[in-house]
Amino acid sequence: GAGVSQTPSNKVTEKGKYVELRCDPISGHTALYWYRQSLGQGPEFLIYFQGTGAADDSGLPNDRFFAVRPEGSVSTLKIQRTERGDSAVYLCASSVGVDTGELFFGEGSRLTVL
Amino acid sequence: TQLLEQSPQFLSIQEGENLTVYCNSSSVFSSLQWYRQEPGEGPVLLVTVVTGGEVKKLKRLTFQFGDARKDSSLHITAAQPGDTGLYLCAGCSGGYQKVTFGTGTKLQVIP
């Protein structure tokens, strides 16, 4: 498809486990964003990539969270030693990357930590 | 930290009524966007406003950017059930296009 693709759509894990969430942006989009959203709330900024580099990772809550984008396309958000408080929908968005353009979002990955 | 506060947080109205949603911040933004999100989906862009004082209309929706570029409003005329959703403002700043979302307004339009 031509949109932003996120996998898995749903992930249930146990406290303390490691989780990876994948985002495949729109082809040609250089900017990629990760957000975290709780029910009924606005998305909370986690990290922003311009190309392969993390231009701003100030939203990552702590060192258990890490994200990569090695080839400037697909990105993976990695969460170590998951906690119940990490439960949320993790949204990925991409944009053309020139000026502040429209963010195109995926449908999100719903993470539940038991 | 740039905070964007939206009000009201929840709004339940009858079909045909008018409503206004507010988005306020103490920070100045280079531009401001409004998104609408439905359950199980990602937010979808409605509009981007760039100039202080700018007003944009999209059918029954009117968006305004404050003169100081710190606040914005969304007015819906004659709301319809299809307008139901979570409305999000998003402030854009920084040379690298950081986009910060507001707290959200959940709108329910009852037929």
Side-chain angles (χ1 to χ4, degrees):
Chain A
V4 176
S5 176
Q6 290 189 246
T7 55
S9 56
N10 220 328
K11 175 71 176 179
V12 180
T13 190
E14 293 179 344
K15 180 171 176 275
K17 298 290 188 183
Y18 170 79
V19 166
E20 287 191 353
L21 307 176
R22 175 189 166 107
C23 173
D24 200 340
I26 293 172
S27 177
H29 281 193
T30 61
L32 186 145
Y33 302 76
W34 282 100
Y35 290 87
R36 178 168 70 174
Q37 186 175 31
S38 300
L39 190 63
Q41 304 291 314
E44 172 193 11
F45 172 80
L46 295 177
I47 188 170
Y48 159 79
F49 288 90
Q50 182 59 262
T52 60
D56 186 341
D57 65 357
S58 62
L60 294 178
N62 51 59
D63 61 6
R64 295 188 297 106
F65 288 75
F66 189 70
V68 296
R69 196 186 184 197
E71 298 179 358
S73 178
V74 171
S75 176
T76 304
L77 177 65
K78 307 180 180 190
I79 310 174
Q80 298 178 321
R81 304 183 303 281
T82 52
E83 300 177 356
R84 292 193 179 88
D86 298 335
S87 296
V89 175
Y90 289 82
L91 292 167
C92 175
S94 68
S95 73
V96 171
V98 176
D99 296 328
T100 302
E102 177 176 1
L103 297 189
F104 293 84
F105 281 86
E107 295 186 342
S109 292
R110 179 177 296 278
L111 174 65
T112 303
V113 182
L114 301 177
Chain B
T1 302
Q2 299 166 316
L3 294 175
L4 282 159
E5 295 286 339
Q6 289 185 233
S7 61
Q9 187 177 1
F10 299 100
L11 194 53
S12 182
I13 61 172
Q14 295 289 328
E15 182 177 359
E17 293 184 357
N18 302 332
L19 67 116
T20 302
V21 176
Y22 298 93
C23 173
N24 294 291
S25 175
S26 58
S27 300
V28 175
F29 295 101
S30 57
S31 63
L32 196 135
Q33 299 174 330
W34 283 92
Y35 289 78
R36 179 167 163 267
Q37 184 179 22
E38 298 194 35
E41 299 181 5
V44 176
L45 181 70
L46 295 173
V47 77
T48 300
V49 284
V50 178
T51 307
E54 181 177 2
V55 177
K56 279 193 174 178
K57 291 192 175 183
L58 184 65
K59 296 182 181 178
R60 295 176 293 99
L61 278 61
T62 302
F63 305 85
Q64 183 163 10
F65 200 12
D67 291 340
R69 306 206 316 278
K70 293 182 178 181
D71 55 84
S72 181
S73 64
L74 157 61
H75 182 79
I76 301 179
T77 303
Q80 298 178 0
D83 296 328
T84 293
L86 180 67
Y87 288 82
L88 298 160
C89 64
C92 310
S93 61
Y96 52 80
Q97 316 154 50
K98 181 171 183 176
V99 182
T100 303
F101 280 83
T103 49
T105 296
K106 189 170 183 180
L107 171 65
Q108 179 185 34
V109 182
I110 302 167

